[in-house]
Amino acid sequence: MNGGEEENRTTQNIRLLPSPNPYSQKRSSKMPSSPLSPPPPQPLTPQSFRLGCRNGTYNTTTTLTIPTVQCNLLALPSRYAPSFAQLCARNPVSCPLLYSTLPGSPTTPLAPGANLTTDLPKYNVYKDGKLLTPDGTASVEEYWTRDHVGFLIGCSFSFEWALSAAGFPPKHTLCVPVKCVPMFRTGIPLSPAGEFTAGCVVVSMRAYKERDVEEVRRITRSFRRQHGEPVAWGWDGARMLGIEEKVRKGLVDFGEWVEIDGDAGEVPVFWGCGVTPQVAVMESRIEGVVISHVPGCMFVTDVPVEEEEEDPSPKL
Amino acid sequence: MNGGEEENRTTQNIRLLPSPNPYSQKRSSKMPSSPLSPPPPQPLTPQSFRLGCRNGTYNTTTTLTIPTVQCNLLALPSRYAPSFAQLCARNPVSCPLLYSTLPGSPTTPLAPGANLTTDLPKYNVYKDGKLLTPDGTASVEEYWTRDHVGFLIGCSFSFEWALSAAGFPPKHTLCVPVKCVPMFRTGIPLSPAGEFTAGCVVVSMRAYKERDVEEVRRITRSFRRQHGEPVAWGWDGARMLGIEEKVRKGLVDFGEWVEIDGDAGEVPVFWGCGVTPQVAVMESRIEGVVISHVPGCMFVTDVPVEEEEEDPSPKL
């Protein structure tokens, strides 16, 4: 791995927040501040959420917790880093790469002060492609060696705020308590890269009325580094992905099932999903210790979710 | 479409040749030049090859004609250009975008002096998603309007020189006359983008001994913008792509069939293919006139084929 300035390794399209965090200031300024009122509750900030993960307060899905960019995490021995970066480059809808760490450094400028080994709600640890921690683990400090390189990958949770704001809240976000989005392993193979020779595309599913699919496509399209627009939709789409039966029966591979109300005109809509690399690690039998998040339990950054501006000219 | 300096629209990873072309000089310098010898035959240069296309001398596959970067061409009405650029970004193994023109301009700095409407061996023209020219046409001057935007996409022909130099010549290049590589429409859907909602991954196939597959993967891996390493290999790979039967029976969708010698231990190896966007245009029923090359009859640039340097750090 090359060295270089940590700040420079951040992708240019993501604006970093200056410190102190204006997001939390903005939220605070809306709170009542009269001396006659009781002291206002502290709003949940990315920093306080991550601290809550670190001290064990939060250990479940990050769906709609904080309106900043959320990330999938995958950390692996440095010898696999070049191939993994290529896997991301060749499969950018499944694996939109936002940042990679220096070997051994569990930090990122996307969340200054954060520790990637403690600040996620729950982790999966793999050894030689097999899951070591079937119930997840709250910290991976003991597994993350000086040789581990961490990759942060965009997540569709980042655009759920925009869907909700536009009047299309994903159904799992309306459940009480909030559910984790349903996810499926498809029959679509990944484009291989180096040691990553096996694995399939994993998708998240949200049900929408068929007549709303075009609008939902439009809303999510500009979130290019959070999987962007759907990869397929409708029952024809489910068939094309090779998962019609699983979806009809509600047999999720990850996350929690949420009904599709066919009588109300709903159909399944599928997006790329950052659980994909975990399947690639398992199916390619990557050797050594690989660290990831439990699906749905994401890394919450300080980066505000902003739609990437549509550029009418092709990006070359 | 935005304007901007034509030169600046070239991707940085491709080095442009200074003029005059050192490639042709280098070739010329190896020719005998004694006044007692007959005048040396003129070596085929990218410029003379394109001129041969323009005047009708060349109208067949460009396989192993010139050792410079060859490209797939797709030109479409400008209103589709942003979605098509996104289709490429979301499917970079099938559609590695090298350059896009300004609307109406059939020129590119990848081949100064070339005219994209006359300088390919043979063209396909589509109207409203249907092929207008079943036998191909030698020129598209009458179809390319002031509103057409041309996209140049990397091609696997560019790495066939490297395969041959390493002792792994693709079998179709050994036929007399040279055949066009066999190509197949797979069952793998493209990631949709805007109006491009349908279409499948197209692959080219070259047969290699099973024991050579890893070396062939390694050689082609660094040609990242010419489809890079294979997307699948072996009969399991053919099955995964949904084309086992077509490949066993030699039923090509494009190009020409070349036998796979199972007794000699050969298996099929599949690479991404720039015919993919033509299928997307047809299946997505893109309106208006779309111009492309006849599969195998590529645009020959002046850019030398150089392996992109392996960078051990992830490219962010």
Side-chain angles (χ1 to χ4, degrees), chain A residues 251-269:
Chain A
L251 300 172
V252 301
D253 290 306
F254 310 99
E256 296 169 277
W257 177 241
V258 180
E259 287 298 330
I260 300 169
D261 187 350
D263 294 338
E266 288 180 356
V267 295
V269 184

Side-chain angles (χ1 to χ4, degrees), chain A:
Chain A
M1 300 292 296
N2 283 343
E5 291 289 298
E6 179 100 328
E7 285 296 321
N8 288 344
R9 297 171 62 84
T10 311
T11 45
Q12 292 177 337
N13 287 348
I14 290 203
R15 185 168 65 78
L16 293 186
L17 286 176
S19 188
N21 182 344
Y23 163 69
S24 56
Q25 290 178 337
K26 191 174 162 196
R27 287 275 289 244
S28 298
S29 69
K30 287 181 181 169
M31 294 290 173
S33 58
S34 154
L36 299 178
S37 309
Q42 283 300 305
L44 201 56
T45 65
Q47 294 79 7
S48 60
F49 180 81
R50 291 194 301 263
L51 204 61
C53 294
R54 200 181 297 184
N55 66 27
T57 309
Y58 301 117
N59 61 3
T60 183
T61 182
T62 51
T63 301
L64 288 191
T65 47
I66 311 268
T68 55
V69 167
Q70 299 195 10
C71 296
N72 301 271
L73 168 70
L74 200 95
L76 31 64
S78 63
R79 68 182 179 281
Y80 292 116
S83 291
F84 187 75
Q86 267 304 295
L87 187 76
C88 294
R90 284 167 65 86
N91 300 277
V93 174
S94 299
C95 309
L97 187 52
L98 298 183
Y99 182 74
S100 71
T101 73
L102 297 175
S105 165
T107 64
T108 170
L110 305 187
N115 183 335
L116 292 171
T117 68
T118 55
D119 292 1
L120 278 73
K122 209 184 269 186
Y123 297 84
N124 279 339
V125 180
Y126 298 89
K127 185 158 188 203
D128 299 338
K130 289 192 185 130
L131 187 61
L132 267 189
T133 53
D135 299 321
T137 178
S139 155
V140 289
E141 285 175 292
E142 64 182 302
Y143 298 105
W144 191 300
T145 69
R146 287 195 304 175
D147 183 50
H148 273 83
V149 176
F151 289 83
L152 294 174
I153 291 169
C155 171
S156 59
F157 288 11
S158 304
F159 61 56
E160 292 189 334
W161 297 89
L163 286 169
S164 298
F168 302 101
K171 286 173 79 176
H172 65 276
T173 67
L174 302 177
C175 300
V176 182
V178 162
K179 281 191 176 179
C180 181
V181 69
M183 292 168 264
F184 299 92
R185 297 162 75 132
T186 71
I188 307 299
L190 284 181
S191 274
E195 297 90 347
F196 295 87
T197 52
C200 62
V201 169
V202 176
V203 292
S204 63
M205 190 283 285
R206 294 163 186 82
Y208 283 103
K209 292 195 170 61
E210 195 159 10
R211 64 165 186 263
D212 293 332
V213 169
E214 274 308 306
E215 183 61 8
V216 164
R217 288 184 70 209
R218 192 193 64 74
I219 292 166
T220 56
R221 182 168 299 142
S222 54
F223 293 89
R224 294 180 183 175
R225 285 144 56 86
Q226 285 87 28
H227 307 299
E229 64 176 273
V231 294
W233 52 90
W235 291 106
D236 280 351
R239 208 167 300 130
M240 203 167 63
L241 298 176
I243 56 175
E244 183 184 7
E245 192 181 335
K246 281 199 286 191
V247 179
R248 288 209 187 269
K249 292 183 176 169
L251 300 172
V252 301
D253 290 306
F254 310 99
E256 296 169 277
W257 177 241
V258 180
E259 287 298 330
I260 300 169
D261 187 350
D263 294 338
E266 288 180 356
V267 295
V269 184
F270 303 99
W271 279 265
C273 176
V275 175
T276 300
Q278 293 193 45
V279 174
V281 163
M282 284 188 280
E283 298 197 355
S284 304
R285 293 178 197 159
I286 296 300
E287 291 178 4
V289 169
V290 176
I291 296 161
S292 196
H293 61 290
V294 166
C297 299
M298 318 309 291
F299 177 63
V300 173
T301 74
D302 292 355
V303 180
V305 175
E306 288 176 337
E307 300 188 28
E308 288 183 69
E309 200 177 338
E310 282 288 350
D311 180 352
S313 66
K315 288 184 177 171
L316 293 187

Side-chain angles (χ1 to χ4, degrees), chain B residues 160 162-171 173 208 212-213 215-216 219:
Chain B
E160 292 188 334
L163 286 169
S164 298
F168 302 101
K171 286 173 80 174
T173 67
Y208 283 103
D212 293 333
V213 168
E215 183 61 7
V216 163
I219 292 166

